[in-house]
Amino acid sequence: MKKLKVELGTCSYEIRVGTGLLARIGLWLKGRDFSGKAVIITDTIVEGLYAEVLERGLANAGFDVTILEVPPGEEQKSLETAGRLYDDLTEAYAERTTPVLALGGGVIGDLAGFVAATYMRGVPLIQVPTTLLAQVDSSIGGKTAVDHGQLKNIIGVFYQPKMVVADIDTLKTLPEIELANGLAEVIKTAAIRNKSFFNFLDINMNKALQYHPSVLETVVLETARIKAEIVEKDEKEVGLRGILNYGHTIGHAIEAVSDYELKHGQAVAIGMMAAAKISSRMEILDEVDIVKLERIIEKAGLPTEMPDMDKEAVWQAMQHDKKVAQDRIRFVLLRSIGNAFISDEIDPALVEEVLVGWG
Ligand code: NAD
Ligand code: GLY
């Protein structure tokens, strides 16, 4: 097992990455200032796969465990489901010191994180991510939220977990499409911050796709390390943390216009290519780096071209994105692989030109 620290003063915490970790979490939580109860919040798919081993470990460590399940899917990131979970926590007599363990993908991490942040003004949260996306991205950094109306993540709070435990073994059951979804965020993280990790990914992508445990461990560890370093510098996304949105401005619009038929990672992959093309048109990024980016995205089985969709609609959808303010588009651009920056100075006409003139 490898450990990383997210240094945030009194809110610092550890990320533990390795195999066979779920069963050990109970022992790690024992002896902390927690109550004798523990609550696992999970979805029905992950419950059937991993709740038992986690529960047993907690019970062996002396915790009285309650498991709360929700159906899988983004629709569960709602105030309604959060409300039901508050009722369940009350019924389980959860106390202020009762740890809540978010066992699942990003949906569970965001939902259970939001519930833990708000129930009794905050109970201890342990993130136990089981998708690659959750292990490398959503479980780290304290963003918790639910959706509301048509808007994603619009009601939420920054609330750091007490610990993140990424058990690589859980990735073995992850459908291929979900692995690729997570790999999009992995590629993004390397592309914005670390060229040598990008090269590692380029060489090892096939092994990652074949669920090679030591490669996946490095992938999770290095991506988590980069994200942790960014969060340490800018916890509340006042500046630097915004670079994690690389590929997301256009990506979100593409995802919405596809009616969510495209997975988030697929849309982000296309968004990364678009942002690279814009960087190149502005003569900031070398063509060689676009080719490298394209190659690695393809290796991960992700798209690099705009799908056959109404590009004007994508452009229109971007106008509603929260990153568009006062007629200027906020974009993350690349100077080179491993070196990204945020610009508020993008000429909207150039973005439209790249989008509409693509393919
Ligand atoms: P998800 O949580 O919906 O999980 C995807 C599917 O995989 C679900 O059906 C789930 O039941 C299943 N699953 C989970 N683990 C499994 C396993 N080990 N084996 C088999 N099946 C498994 O999706 P996701 O991609 O993990 O997360 C997406 C969510 O994350 C979105 O709501 C997004 O807004 C959020 N997110 C949050 C942040 C943040 O910083 N908080 C960052 C990125 C994304
Ligand atoms: N997923 C972007 C962030 O955590 O800031």
Side-chain angles (χ1 to χ4, degrees):
M1 178 183 66
K2 307 275 181 2
K3 292 182 193 176
L4 289 175
K5 187 106 183 260
V6 187
E7 295 282 0
L8 289 168
T10 52
C11 294
S12 299
Y13 54 97
E14 253 179 27
I15 302 171
R16 299 184 178 193
V17 182
T19 53
L21 306 189
L22 289 185
R24 297 161 69 186
I25 295 175
L27 277 180
W28 294 336
L29 299 191
K30 192 178 169 178
R32 294 199 169 203
D33 285 337
F34 295 150
S35 77
K37 298 188 185 86
V39 175
I40 299 172
I41 299 181
T42 189
D43 72 31
T44 44
I45 294 178
V46 179
E47 198 276 338
L49 294 165
Y50 301 113
E52 195 186 331
V53 60
L54 178 60
E55 180 188 22
R56 206 178 321 121
L58 286 161
N60 288 343
F63 287 97
D64 174 9
V65 187
T66 301
I67 300 180
L68 304 179
E69 281 175 52
V70 300
E74 181 74 25
E75 314 78 68
Q76 296 305 316
K77 266 178 65 172
S78 67
L79 285 172
E80 200 186 337
T81 304
R84 274 203 299 276
L85 290 169
Y86 295 139
D87 288 342
D88 294 341
L89 286 169
T90 315
E91 262 174 44
Y93 297 101
E95 297 157 310
R96 247 201 168 141
T97 50
T98 299
V100 165
L101 294 96
L103 174 70
V107 164
I108 288 297
D110 281 10
L111 171 70
F114 178 74
V115 166
T118 46
Y119 187 74
M120 297 180 97
R121 300 194 184 88
V123 297
L125 169 67
I126 316 295
Q127 289 280 8
V128 190
T130 61
T131 62
L132 181 60
L133 178 137
Q135 294 190 350
V136 300
D137 191 355
S138 58
S139 66
I140 303 161
K143 279 188 182 175
T144 75
V146 293
D147 307 332
H148 193 56
Q150 296 303 307
L151 298 172
K152 278 195 72 174
N153 299 325
I154 198 73
I155 301 184
V157 56
F158 283 96
Y159 189 67
Q160 300 297 339
K162 296 286 180 220
M163 187 188 284
V164 178
V165 182
D167 189 332
I168 302 298
D169 286 339
T170 62
L171 301 179
K172 284 181 204 150
T173 52
L174 203 59
E176 253 172 58
I177 183 103
E178 296 298 344
L179 191 70
N181 203 33
L183 283 169
E185 301 293 356
V186 170
I187 293 168
K188 170 206 78 181
T189 311
I192 59 172
R193 207 69 179 163
N194 191 322
K195 191 177 170 180
S196 65
F197 179 46
F198 187 94
N199 292 338
F200 170 89
L201 291 173
D202 197 24
I203 295 165
N204 289 286
M205 191 57 80
N206 276 341
K207 286 187 179 161
L209 288 168
Q210 287 157 14
Y211 299 82
H212 195 291
S214 73
V215 167
L216 283 177
E217 184 170 314
T218 305
V219 165
V220 172
L221 196 70
E222 291 313 313
T223 315
R225 195 192 303 282
I226 297 167
K227 176 144 188 193
E229 176 240 329
I230 292 171
V231 168
E232 283 170 355
K233 293 198 166 93
D234 178 22
E235 184 189 359
K236 300 278 167 71
E237 199 173 321
V238 182
L240 177 73
R241 187 166 175 172
I243 65 172
L244 289 164
N245 291 320
Y246 177 58
H248 284 61
T249 309
I250 290 179
H252 281 151
I254 293 174
E255 206 180 350
V257 172
S258 81
D259 240 346
Y260 295 90
E261 286 205 358
L262 274 180
K263 295 281 298 176
H264 179 72
Q266 294 172 318
V268 166
I270 300 163
M272 287 194 280
M273 285 307 298
K277 282 175 194 280
I278 292 165
S279 310
S280 162
R281 290 288 292 272
M282 291 172 73
E283 298 186 356
I284 298 168
L285 181 71
D286 208 283
E287 193 69 30
V288 178
D289 282 341
I290 300 195
V291 174
K292 283 186 189 161
L293 187 68
E294 187 169 28
R295 188 177 63 197
I296 203 168
I297 292 174
E298 272 170 1
K299 277 189 186 176
L302 290 160
T304 55
E305 292 292 335
M306 271 293 272
D308 187 16
M309 63 168 54
D310 183 352
K311 288 163 193 157
E312 273 301 334
V314 175
W315 172 239
Q316 289 307 320
M318 280 177 63
Q319 316 296 313
H320 298 290
D321 192 283
K322 58 181 184 277
K323 289 169 205 77
V324 181
Q326 288 153 11
D327 264 356
R328 290 179 184 279
I329 301 183
R330 168 164 288 198
F331 246 89
V332 184
L333 299 178
L334 288 186
R335 279 194 197 92
S336 61
I337 297 294
N339 184 354
F341 69 103
I342 300 170
S343 174
D344 285 318
E345 302 297 324
I346 311 296
D347 177 2
L350 173 61
V351 179
E352 193 176 7
E353 205 179 295
V354 165
L355 269 183
V356 176
W358 192 351

